[in-house]
Amino acid sequence: MTTLFISDLHLDAERPHITELFGRFLDAEARGADALYILGDLFEAWIGDDDPSATATFVADRLRVVADGGTPVWFMHGNRDFLVGQAFADRAGMAILPDPTVVDLYGKPVLLMHGDTLCTDDVAYQQFRAQTRDPVWQAQFLAQPLAARIAFAKQAREASKAHQSGLASQGTMETITDVAPAAVAAAFQQFGVETLIHGHTHRPAVHALDVDGRPRERIVLGDWYEQGSVLRVDSQGHRLEALA
């Protein structure tokens, strides 16, 4: 049997082929897996569990089929869908994991994160993250009319694009938006694990590291902007592969 890890699908109405690819992935693989872990940014944006979009309905219905078929579905908030709440989780049949979380993976403790907290050099983003994770801010935001929340999400996406464009023009995009080595080392030290799985950076790879004289492994999941990406793990090892 196999455990599946995905992240950074960024599903929305503007890329229906990716939503369809996700549906095929769920039907073909996820329904027979030991578990499915979604490590954040399942959606391009999330304005509240009352989101009436067809994409949200499609995802909830398809994930519910997977969960009802016996495959546990675990979800971790990302930087785009941190407002996914218990109501949507219940619709989709998935359980919400805190970030970070250590899970037992075939007898081995593995640290799971979305990955954005590791990008500590991006000070502007970390300040925004602290603001939007505040329960008071979230309650005030969710109390606004749906139209106002939709407008805010659009504005936030444009601000994110402008921020990244500014970093690119300064030549700092690659370093600031990637993980900071010190933050990665600190995570390994704090949790005492040998393996870390995360997304967020859209730089799929398997990194062999040395932290405090011990070999460690950092596995970065890929995004789904142009194609799919999945990490398959079983008792024999792991495979990080693209989906078309």
mmCIF file of all heavy atoms in Angstrom, residues 22-57:
data_model
loop_
_atom_site.group_PDB
_atom_site.id
_atom_site.type_symbol
_atom_site.label_atom_id
_atom_site.label_comp_id
_atom_site.label_asym_id
_atom_site.label_seq_id
_atom_site.Cartn_x
_atom_site.Cartn_y
_atom_site.Cartn_z
ATOM 1 N N PHE A 22 -6.971 16.662 -10.981
ATOM 2 C CA PHE A 22 -7.088 16.290 -9.571
ATOM 3 C C PHE A 22 -8.191 15.248 -9.388
ATOM 4 O O PHE A 22 -8.015 14.263 -8.647
ATOM 5 C CB PHE A 22 -7.375 17.535 -8.739
ATOM 6 C CG PHE A 22 -7.512 17.275 -7.270
ATOM 7 C CD1 PHE A 22 -6.557 16.554 -6.567
ATOM 8 C CD2 PHE A 22 -8.605 17.774 -6.571
ATOM 9 C CE1 PHE A 22 -6.678 16.322 -5.202
ATOM 10 C CE2 PHE A 22 -8.734 17.556 -5.210
ATOM 11 C CZ PHE A 22 -7.773 16.826 -4.517
ATOM 12 N N GLY A 23 -9.313 15.442 -10.068
ATOM 13 C CA GLY A 23 -10.390 14.468 -9.971
ATOM 14 C C GLY A 23 -9.967 13.096 -10.466
ATOM 15 O O GLY A 23 -10.282 12.069 -9.837
ATOM 16 N N ARG A 24 -9.232 13.050 -11.549
ATOM 17 C CA ARG A 24 -8.752 11.760 -12.070
ATOM 18 C C ARG A 24 -7.764 11.119 -11.104
ATOM 19 O O ARG A 24 -7.758 9.887 -10.927
ATOM 20 C CB ARG A 24 -8.106 11.953 -13.448
ATOM 21 C CG ARG A 24 -9.084 12.384 -14.534
ATOM 22 C CD ARG A 24 -8.493 12.202 -15.929
ATOM 23 N NE ARG A 24 -7.288 13.008 -16.145
ATOM 24 C CZ ARG A 24 -7.304 14.245 -16.598
ATOM 25 N NH1 ARG A 24 -8.452 14.861 -16.852
ATOM 26 N NH2 ARG A 24 -6.167 14.899 -16.805
ATOM 27 N N PHE A 25 -6.906 11.940 -10.503
ATOM 28 C CA PHE A 25 -5.952 11.435 -9.519
ATOM 29 C C PHE A 25 -6.683 10.803 -8.331
ATOM 30 O O PHE A 25 -6.309 9.724 -7.848
ATOM 31 C CB PHE A 25 -5.052 12.575 -9.055
ATOM 32 C CG PHE A 25 -4.277 12.302 -7.800
ATOM 33 C CD1 PHE A 25 -3.176 11.462 -7.811
ATOM 34 C CD2 PHE A 25 -4.656 12.876 -6.597
ATOM 35 C CE1 PHE A 25 -2.455 11.202 -6.648
ATOM 36 C CE2 PHE A 25 -3.946 12.629 -5.428
ATOM 37 C CZ PHE A 25 -2.845 11.793 -5.459
ATOM 38 N N LEU A 26 -7.723 11.471 -7.872
ATOM 39 C CA LEU A 26 -8.489 10.929 -6.752
ATOM 40 C C LEU A 26 -9.139 9.605 -7.123
ATOM 41 O O LEU A 26 -9.099 8.644 -6.346
ATOM 42 C CB LEU A 26 -9.553 11.932 -6.309
ATOM 43 C CG LEU A 26 -9.052 13.247 -5.700
ATOM 44 C CD1 LEU A 26 -10.233 14.148 -5.346
ATOM 45 C CD2 LEU A 26 -8.194 13.000 -4.463
ATOM 46 N N ASP A 27 -9.714 9.538 -8.317
ATOM 47 C CA ASP A 27 -10.397 8.317 -8.743
ATOM 48 C C ASP A 27 -9.421 7.171 -8.994
ATOM 49 O O ASP A 27 -9.700 6.021 -8.667
ATOM 50 C CB ASP A 27 -11.193 8.579 -10.029
ATOM 51 C CG ASP A 27 -12.376 9.505 -9.805
ATOM 52 O OD1 ASP A 27 -12.777 9.676 -8.638
ATOM 53 O OD2 ASP A 27 -12.883 10.064 -10.795
ATOM 54 N N ALA A 28 -8.246 7.495 -9.554
ATOM 55 C CA ALA A 28 -7.318 6.450 -9.982
ATOM 56 C C ALA A 28 -6.431 5.931 -8.858
ATOM 57 O O ALA A 28 -6.139 4.741 -8.790
ATOM 58 C CB ALA A 28 -6.446 6.979 -11.120
ATOM 59 N N GLU A 29 -5.980 6.826 -7.988
ATOM 60 C CA GLU A 29 -4.999 6.430 -6.975
ATOM 61 C C GLU A 29 -5.469 6.578 -5.539
ATOM 62 O O GLU A 29 -5.286 5.687 -4.712
ATOM 63 C CB GLU A 29 -3.724 7.272 -7.129
ATOM 64 C CG GLU A 29 -2.796 6.824 -8.206
ATOM 65 C CD GLU A 29 -1.427 7.467 -8.044
ATOM 66 O OE1 GLU A 29 -0.608 6.929 -7.270
ATOM 67 O OE2 GLU A 29 -1.183 8.482 -8.699
ATOM 68 N N ALA A 30 -6.057 7.721 -5.243
ATOM 69 C CA ALA A 30 -6.320 8.039 -3.847
ATOM 70 C C ALA A 30 -7.304 7.087 -3.190
ATOM 71 O O ALA A 30 -7.193 6.791 -2.000
ATOM 72 C CB ALA A 30 -6.823 9.482 -3.733
ATOM 73 N N ARG A 31 -8.249 6.591 -3.959
ATOM 74 C CA ARG A 31 -9.273 5.721 -3.379
ATOM 75 C C ARG A 31 -8.697 4.392 -2.898
ATOM 76 O O ARG A 31 -9.337 3.693 -2.107
ATOM 77 C CB ARG A 31 -10.401 5.489 -4.380
ATOM 78 C CG ARG A 31 -11.201 6.751 -4.652
ATOM 79 C CD ARG A 31 -12.264 6.554 -5.711
ATOM 80 N NE ARG A 31 -13.322 5.651 -5.269
ATOM 81 C CZ ARG A 31 -14.389 5.368 -6.006
ATOM 82 N NH1 ARG A 31 -14.525 5.896 -7.209
ATOM 83 N NH2 ARG A 31 -15.306 4.548 -5.544
ATOM 84 N N GLY A 32 -7.505 4.027 -3.341
ATOM 85 C CA GLY A 32 -6.906 2.779 -2.883
ATOM 86 C C GLY A 32 -5.684 2.969 -2.009
ATOM 87 O O GLY A 32 -4.967 2.005 -1.718
ATOM 88 N N ALA A 33 -5.428 4.214 -1.578
ATOM 89 C CA ALA A 33 -4.206 4.505 -0.818
ATOM 90 C C ALA A 33 -4.398 4.288 0.683
ATOM 91 O O ALA A 33 -5.522 4.252 1.190
ATOM 92 C CB ALA A 33 -3.777 5.948 -1.075
ATOM 93 N N ASP A 34 -3.263 4.149 1.381
ATOM 94 C CA ASP A 34 -3.307 4.073 2.840
ATOM 95 C C ASP A 34 -3.788 5.389 3.426
ATOM 96 O O ASP A 34 -4.493 5.415 4.444
ATOM 97 C CB ASP A 34 -1.908 3.763 3.396
ATOM 98 C CG ASP A 34 -1.540 2.303 3.238
ATOM 99 O OD1 ASP A 34 -2.449 1.465 3.104
ATOM 100 O OD2 ASP A 34 -0.334 1.995 3.253
ATOM 101 N N ALA A 35 -3.398 6.508 2.812
ATOM 102 C CA ALA A 35 -3.821 7.832 3.273
ATOM 103 C C ALA A 35 -3.460 8.844 2.195
ATOM 104 O O ALA A 35 -2.561 8.622 1.379
ATOM 105 C CB ALA A 35 -3.155 8.203 4.591
ATOM 106 N N LEU A 36 -4.163 9.975 2.210
ATOM 107 C CA LEU A 36 -3.869 11.098 1.339
ATOM 108 C C LEU A 36 -3.627 12.321 2.211
ATOM 109 O O LEU A 36 -4.486 12.690 3.017
ATOM 110 C CB LEU A 36 -5.035 11.368 0.381
ATOM 111 C CG LEU A 36 -4.962 12.669 -0.433
ATOM 112 C CD1 LEU A 36 -3.764 12.645 -1.376
ATOM 113 C CD2 LEU A 36 -6.265 12.898 -1.197
ATOM 114 N N TYR A 37 -2.453 12.933 2.045
ATOM 115 C CA TYR A 37 -2.108 14.151 2.772
ATOM 116 C C TYR A 37 -2.053 15.315 1.783
ATOM 117 O O TYR A 37 -1.332 15.248 0.780
ATOM 118 C CB TYR A 37 -0.754 14.010 3.460
ATOM 119 C CG TYR A 37 -0.760 13.106 4.670
ATOM 120 C CD1 TYR A 37 -0.547 11.737 4.534
ATOM 121 C CD2 TYR A 37 -0.964 13.616 5.947
ATOM 122 C CE1 TYR A 37 -0.549 10.894 5.633
ATOM 123 C CE2 TYR A 37 -0.965 12.786 7.058
ATOM 124 C CZ TYR A 37 -0.754 11.432 6.905
ATOM 125 O OH TYR A 37 -0.759 10.603 7.996
ATOM 126 N N ILE A 38 -2.799 16.377 2.079
ATOM 127 C CA ILE A 38 -2.792 17.596 1.270
ATOM 128 C C ILE A 38 -2.139 18.681 2.116
ATOM 129 O O ILE A 38 -2.734 19.170 3.084
ATOM 130 C CB ILE A 38 -4.217 18.012 0.868
ATOM 131 C CG1 ILE A 38 -4.933 16.855 0.165
ATOM 132 C CG2 ILE A 38 -4.177 19.252 -0.019
ATOM 133 C CD1 ILE A 38 -6.428 17.081 -0.027
ATOM 134 N N LEU A 39 -0.905 19.058 1.762
ATOM 135 C CA LEU A 39 -0.120 19.939 2.630
ATOM 136 C C LEU A 39 -0.232 21.412 2.214
ATOM 137 O O LEU A 39 0.754 22.107 2.038
ATOM 138 C CB LEU A 39 1.346 19.491 2.632
ATOM 139 C CG LEU A 39 1.596 18.070 3.144
ATOM 140 C CD1 LEU A 39 3.094 17.812 3.290
ATOM 141 C CD2 LEU A 39 0.879 17.810 4.469
ATOM 142 N N GLY A 40 -1.472 21.876 2.062
ATOM 143 C CA GLY A 40 -1.706 23.297 1.881
ATOM 144 C C GLY A 40 -1.848 23.755 0.451
ATOM 145 O O GLY A 40 -1.372 23.123 -0.492
ATOM 146 N N ASP A 41 -2.518 24.900 0.310
ATOM 147 C CA ASP A 41 -2.785 25.539 -0.979
ATOM 148 C C ASP A 41 -3.498 24.602 -1.931
ATOM 149 O O ASP A 41 -3.181 24.519 -3.121
ATOM 150 C CB ASP A 41 -1.509 26.104 -1.599
ATOM 151 C CG ASP A 41 -1.034 27.368 -0.885
ATOM 152 O OD1 ASP A 41 -1.723 27.819 0.049
ATOM 153 O OD2 ASP A 41 0.015 27.904 -1.259
ATOM 154 N N LEU A 42 -4.492 23.906 -1.394
ATOM 155 C CA LEU A 42 -5.385 23.124 -2.244
ATOM 156 C C LEU A 42 -6.123 24.063 -3.198
ATOM 157 O O LEU A 42 -6.345 23.736 -4.367
ATOM 158 C CB LEU A 42 -6.379 22.347 -1.374
ATOM 159 C CG LEU A 42 -7.486 21.567 -2.080
ATOM 160 C CD1 LEU A 42 -6.904 20.524 -3.017
ATOM 161 C CD2 LEU A 42 -8.403 20.909 -1.047
ATOM 162 N N PHE A 43 -6.454 25.251 -2.696
ATOM 163 C CA PHE A 43 -7.156 26.249 -3.492
ATOM 164 C C PHE A 43 -6.273 27.470 -3.722
ATOM 165 O O PHE A 43 -5.418 27.794 -2.903
ATOM 166 C CB PHE A 43 -8.444 26.687 -2.789
ATOM 167 C CG PHE A 43 -9.436 25.568 -2.612
ATOM 168 C CD1 PHE A 43 -9.538 24.898 -1.402
ATOM 169 C CD2 PHE A 43 -10.258 25.179 -3.659
ATOM 170 C CE1 PHE A 43 -10.449 23.866 -1.228
ATOM 171 C CE2 PHE A 43 -11.173 24.155 -3.503
ATOM 172 C CZ PHE A 43 -11.266 23.486 -2.286
ATOM 173 N N GLU A 44 -6.510 28.153 -4.814
ATOM 174 C CA GLU A 44 -5.803 29.399 -5.110
ATOM 175 C C GLU A 44 -6.137 30.471 -4.078
ATOM 176 O O GLU A 44 -5.279 31.277 -3.699
ATOM 177 C CB GLU A 44 -6.181 29.885 -6.513
ATOM 178 C CG GLU A 44 -5.574 31.206 -6.915
ATOM 179 C CD GLU A 44 -4.073 31.155 -7.127
ATOM 180 O OE1 GLU A 44 -3.499 30.041 -7.146
ATOM 181 O OE2 GLU A 44 -3.468 32.229 -7.282
ATOM 182 N N ALA A 45 -7.380 30.462 -3.628
ATOM 183 C CA ALA A 45 -7.808 31.375 -2.572
ATOM 184 C C ALA A 45 -9.011 30.755 -1.871
ATOM 185 O O ALA A 45 -9.752 29.972 -2.475
ATOM 186 C CB ALA A 45 -8.170 32.741 -3.143
ATOM 187 N N TRP A 46 -9.199 31.100 -0.603
ATOM 188 C CA TRP A 46 -10.361 30.600 0.134
ATOM 189 C C TRP A 46 -10.906 31.748 0.970
ATOM 190 O O TRP A 46 -10.207 32.298 1.818
ATOM 191 C CB TRP A 46 -9.970 29.426 1.021
ATOM 192 C CG TRP A 46 -11.172 28.727 1.592
ATOM 193 C CD1 TRP A 46 -11.671 28.818 2.854
ATOM 194 C CD2 TRP A 46 -12.034 27.823 0.890
ATOM 195 N NE1 TRP A 46 -12.787 28.041 2.984
ATOM 196 C CE2 TRP A 46 -13.041 27.417 1.789
ATOM 197 C CE3 TRP A 46 -12.057 27.339 -0.416
ATOM 198 C CZ2 TRP A 46 -14.059 26.534 1.424
ATOM 199 C CZ3 TRP A 46 -13.065 26.469 -0.783
ATOM 200 C CH2 TRP A 46 -14.052 26.060 0.139
ATOM 201 N N ILE A 47 -12.168 32.086 0.720
ATOM 202 C CA ILE A 47 -12.759 33.254 1.365
ATOM 203 C C ILE A 47 -13.714 32.880 2.487
ATOM 204 O O ILE A 47 -14.325 33.741 3.112
ATOM 205 C CB ILE A 47 -13.502 34.109 0.329
ATOM 206 C CG1 ILE A 47 -14.546 33.255 -0.404
ATOM 207 C CG2 ILE A 47 -12.519 34.740 -0.650
ATOM 208 C CD1 ILE A 47 -15.454 34.044 -1.324
ATOM 209 N N GLY A 48 -13.836 31.594 2.771
ATOM 210 C CA GLY A 48 -14.723 31.124 3.823
ATOM 211 C C GLY A 48 -15.453 29.872 3.385
ATOM 212 O O GLY A 48 -15.577 29.581 2.180
ATOM 213 N N ASP A 49 -15.961 29.123 4.333
ATOM 214 C CA ASP A 49 -16.600 27.849 4.017
ATOM 215 C C ASP A 49 -17.948 28.021 3.331
ATOM 216 O O ASP A 49 -18.545 27.024 2.887
ATOM 217 C CB ASP A 49 -16.768 27.018 5.290
ATOM 218 C CG ASP A 49 -15.448 26.458 5.792
ATOM 219 O OD1 ASP A 49 -14.416 26.711 5.144
ATOM 220 O OD2 ASP A 49 -15.444 25.771 6.835
ATOM 221 N N ASP A 50 -18.423 29.255 3.224
ATOM 222 C CA ASP A 50 -19.642 29.512 2.468
ATOM 223 C C ASP A 50 -19.350 29.830 1.004
ATOM 224 O O ASP A 50 -20.235 30.284 0.272
ATOM 225 C CB ASP A 50 -20.437 30.658 3.097
ATOM 226 C CG ASP A 50 -19.622 31.945 3.230
ATOM 227 O OD1 ASP A 50 -18.378 31.878 3.120
ATOM 228 O OD2 ASP A 50 -20.226 33.006 3.478
ATOM 229 N N ASP A 51 -18.133 29.581 0.573
ATOM 230 C CA ASP A 51 -17.748 29.793 -0.828
ATOM 231 C C ASP A 51 -18.676 28.973 -1.731
ATOM 232 O O ASP A 51 -18.728 27.749 -1.619
ATOM 233 C CB ASP A 51 -16.293 29.357 -1.026
ATOM 234 C CG ASP A 51 -15.758 29.654 -2.420
ATOM 235 O OD1 ASP A 51 -16.570 29.858 -3.342
ATOM 236 O OD2 ASP A 51 -14.530 29.673 -2.584
ATOM 237 N N PRO A 52 -19.417 29.632 -2.636
ATOM 238 C CA PRO A 52 -20.383 28.914 -3.459
ATOM 239 C C PRO A 52 -19.813 28.375 -4.771
ATOM 240 O O PRO A 52 -20.558 27.895 -5.619
ATOM 241 C CB PRO A 52 -21.428 29.997 -3.749
ATOM 242 C CG PRO A 52 -20.615 31.254 -3.858
ATOM 243 C CD PRO A 52 -19.467 31.095 -2.860
ATOM 244 N N SER A 53 -18.504 28.443 -4.961
ATOM 245 C CA SER A 53 -17.921 28.127 -6.263
ATOM 246 C C SER A 53 -18.112 26.662 -6.641
ATOM 247 O O SER A 53 -18.149 25.763 -5.790
ATOM 248 C CB SER A 53 -16.433 28.470 -6.278
ATOM 249 O OG SER A 53 -15.696 27.539 -5.516
ATOM 250 N N ALA A 54 -18.185 26.435 -7.951
ATOM 251 C CA ALA A 54 -18.301 25.067 -8.471
ATOM 252 C C ALA A 54 -17.047 24.264 -8.162
ATOM 253 O O ALA A 54 -17.113 23.048 -7.936
ATOM 254 C CB ALA A 54 -18.565 25.104 -9.975
ATOM 255 N N THR A 55 -15.893 24.938 -8.139
ATOM 256 C CA THR A 55 -14.639 24.243 -7.832
ATOM 257 C C THR A 55 -14.669 23.692 -6.414
ATOM 258 O O THR A 55 -14.290 22.539 -6.167
ATOM 259 C CB THR A 55 -13.442 25.194 -7.994
ATOM 260 O OG1 THR A 55 -13.402 25.670 -9.343
ATOM 261 C CG2 THR A 55 -12.133 24.476 -7.668
ATOM 262 N N ALA A 56 -15.130 24.504 -5.465
ATOM 263 C CA ALA A 56 -15.208 24.050 -4.073
ATOM 264 C C ALA A 56 -16.145 22.858 -3.931
ATOM 265 O O ALA A 56 -15.843 21.886 -3.215
ATOM 266 C CB ALA A 56 -15.669 25.199 -3.181
ATOM 267 N N THR A 57 -17.269 22.915 -4.628
ATOM 268 C CA THR A 57 -18.232 21.811 -4.563
ATOM 269 C C THR A 57 -17.649 20.541 -5.164
ATOM 270 O O THR A 57 -17.782 19.444 -4.599
ATOM 271 C CB THR A 57 -19.524 22.198 -5.302
ATOM 272 O OG1 THR A 57 -20.109 23.337 -4.660
ATOM 273 C CG2 THR A 57 -20.520 21.054 -5.294
#
